[in-house]
Amino acid sequence: MMTRRTFSTLLAGAACAPDAALAQAGAARLAYYSGVGTDFTHYDVDVATATLTQRATVKLPASAQYAWPHPSRKFLYITWSNGGAAGAPPGSTQVPRGNIHGAGAYRIEANGALTSIGKSINLPARPIHNSIDASGTHLLIAYNEPSNLTIHNLNADGTIGAVVPQTAKIDAGIYAHQIRTAPSNKTAILVCRGNNPAGGKPEDPGSLKVFGFKDGQFTNLASYAPNGGYGFGPRHLDF
């Protein structure tokens, strides 16, 4: 069954893979990656015939949540969790909040294959989105419940380093859904979806949280929430 999560991870793979492969192997070869459950699979793309050829599959510790390429296009960063947004589907091994959450770094080989590098890291909750800052020195991870984000150093070899302790308290809004740095790399935006009213619970307002960003540190700059955030449920932004 094509769930929202499956579609999101398929889309993430499609968006990041072609440029990564082009940079290393020339225009003749494209790679496509899909995350379905714990399987993260590499496909060769034949543009002329619009066909995919399945190659190797990387087995993740839990279901793929998101993937994002390094600016160099040499590495791919994948997050996973066995938690679900609204409880576990029937017959699933997932649990509502989950108890396995992590992230790993993978080198993108010249043929598009993925090779795990370094040690994967454990995360405090289900990661709903991850991205890399424009300088390629930090991994940014957003969490939906509880709404939060963490920043991790990236080593020169592409492996994931230590978490960056924040000196200021981060305003993470309600139900974070995406974290991105602006092209200048001087600011970052956390997209907070909020929640629709359900089961007698009133609506939670959505917002865009804007931060100053320097050396892995976030400083609160502004919060954009039209109409107090009610009826405003953003999920993603792009530049």
Side-chain angles (χ1 to χ4, degrees), residues 8-9 21 24 28-29 36 40 58 60 74 78 89-90 92 135 150 166 178 213 222 232 239:
S8 295
T9 49
Q24 296 189 59
R29 182 184 293 274
V36 181
F40 203 87
V58 172
L60 304 177
K74 295 180 180 179
I78 306 173
S92 171
S135 70
T150 56
Q166 296 297 296
Q178 185 201 37
F213 182 72
F232 181 64
F239 299 98

Side-chain angles (χ1 to χ4, degrees), residues 26-120:
R29 182 184 293 274
L30 294 177
Y32 176 89
Y33 305 110
S34 75
V36 181
T38 59
D39 290 342
F40 203 87
T41 304
H42 162 224
Y43 296 82
D44 281 338
V45 181
D46 187 323
V47 176
T49 61
T51 57
L52 301 176
T53 301
Q54 183 173 337
R55 300 306 184 190
T57 294
V58 172
K59 200 74 174 178
L60 304 177
S63 294
Q65 301 297 301
Y66 221 86
W68 198 271
H70 190 273
S72 69
R73 306 300 184 182
K74 295 180 180 179
F75 310 106
L76 186 68
Y77 298 87
I78 306 173
T79 51
W80 54 75
S81 174
N82 67 341
S92 171
T93 57
Q94 296 177 350
V95 291
R97 288 293 182 94
N99 56 7
I100 301 173
H101 318 289
Y106 295 82
R107 184 173 59 249
I108 302 173
E109 307 293 354
N111 63 357
L114 298 176
T115 300
S116 177
I117 57 173
K119 292 183 178 180
S120 61

Side-chain angles (χ1 to χ4, degrees), residues 129 131 140 149 178-182 187-192 207-211 213 218 224 237 239:
H129 184 264
S131 62
L140 286 59
L149 61 88
Q178 185 201 37
I179 179 67
R180 291 289 306 274
T181 53
T187 58
I189 301 175
L190 181 67
V191 181
C192 299
S207 61
L208 300 177
K209 303 296 183 179
V210 183
F211 306 96
F213 182 72
F218 282 154
Y224 293 93
L237 61 84
F239 299 98

